[in-house]
Amino acid sequence: QDFFPAVMYNRVIAQLGLLAFDKAEQIYNDMKDKYPDSNRTSSAAYYIGLSLIEKAGTIRGKPEESPPMEYAALLKKGTEYMMHYCEVSGFDSFTNLKNVCEWYQELGDLGEAGAYEKSRDTYQTLLKEFGKDPNYAEEIQANVYRGYGEVLNKLHDFQTAKPIWLRQLKANPKNV
């Protein structure tokens, strides 16, 4: 049962090692069609997303070598793969979901239409999934609420942002 997804997963990883993103994506799309519920399929999405994000990071800040549009395109595609992985895995990773929030926010800053809305929605999912978990309380207070508030401000949703900023001010009156 798991043999063919495992073989295909290994092919995806091999193509990523060769920086053959298009071939890795083709194999992944085939996996998604044939084995949508396989853990190997979601893992392939994770590694494709991670590889695209890493590739975007290598070209960031080098506009003479690569135009900002290429950075944004890689970041967008990588973020979409990572969000798919988060959804399929049942939002089991705080860090992955938080990164997706921040990447969508950055895409919004780069002018990507709809990215702030995706960031807002992902922040809401993050808070729903992990907001009451004491293991993440400090990180949520220090960074998640700030990012969520910033996104709401950029969407001009000040009514929703107000209690978030008041919460931040109460928790840290000297550093908001």
Side-chain angles (χ1 to χ4, degrees):
Q1 178 81 358
D2 193 45
F3 177 75
F4 291 111
V7 169
M8 295 173 85
Y9 169 79
N10 287 330
R11 289 180 55 213
V12 166
I13 298 303
Q15 293 302 323
L16 293 173
L18 297 170
L19 301 179
F21 298 113
D22 291 341
K23 288 182 182 180
E25 289 181 85
Q26 287 172 352
I27 298 165
Y28 169 76
N29 287 329
D30 196 25
M31 288 178 78
K32 195 167 67 168
D33 291 341
K34 292 178 181 174
Y35 310 103
D37 298 327
S38 171
N39 289 339
R40 303 287 183 159
T41 303
S42 64
S43 293
Y46 173 83
Y47 283 108
I48 291 171
L50 185 64
S51 296
L52 291 166
I53 297 288
E54 287 175 353
K55 173 70 175 166
T58 63
I59 64 171
R60 186 177 192 184
K62 300 178 183 176
E64 66 282 352
E65 297 174 26
S66 180
M69 290 182 304
E70 183 180 352
Y71 170 75
L74 288 168
L75 183 62
K76 179 182 179 184
K77 192 180 267 191
T79 301
E80 289 169 351
Y81 272 100
M82 293 301 283
M83 185 61 189
H84 176 71
Y85 169 75
C86 288
E87 291 168 341
V88 171
S89 67
F91 304 108
D92 65 350
S93 170
F94 173 84
T95 301
N96 288 337
L97 199 52
K98 180 175 152 297
N99 287 341
V100 169
C101 294
E102 294 169 355
W103 292 328
Y104 275 134
Q105 185 173 354
E106 183 175 356
L107 285 165
D109 293 344
L110 293 170
E112 180 67 33
Y116 287 137
E117 289 82 358
K118 289 179 181 179
S119 181
R120 176 201 57 213
D121 296 346
T122 309
Y123 272 116
Q124 290 170 348
T125 300
L126 179 68
L127 290 168
K128 179 180 153 226
E129 296 293 326
F130 297 98
K132 294 184 181 183
D133 188 328
N135 295 318
Y136 302 106
E138 188 175 319
E139 176 69 16
I140 288 171
Q141 184 60 50
N143 296 308
V144 172
Y145 281 121
R146 179 182 294 263
Y148 184 38
E150 289 172 358
V151 167
L152 291 170
N153 285 352
K154 290 174 182 180
L155 290 169
H156 303 283
D157 187 356
F158 304 116
Q159 191 70 26
T160 306
K162 183 179 178 180
I164 292 167
W165 290 119
L166 290 173
R167 177 188 191 118
Q168 287 293 93
L169 184 60
K170 183 178 179 184
N172 197 359
K174 294 182 181 179
N175 194 21
V176 171

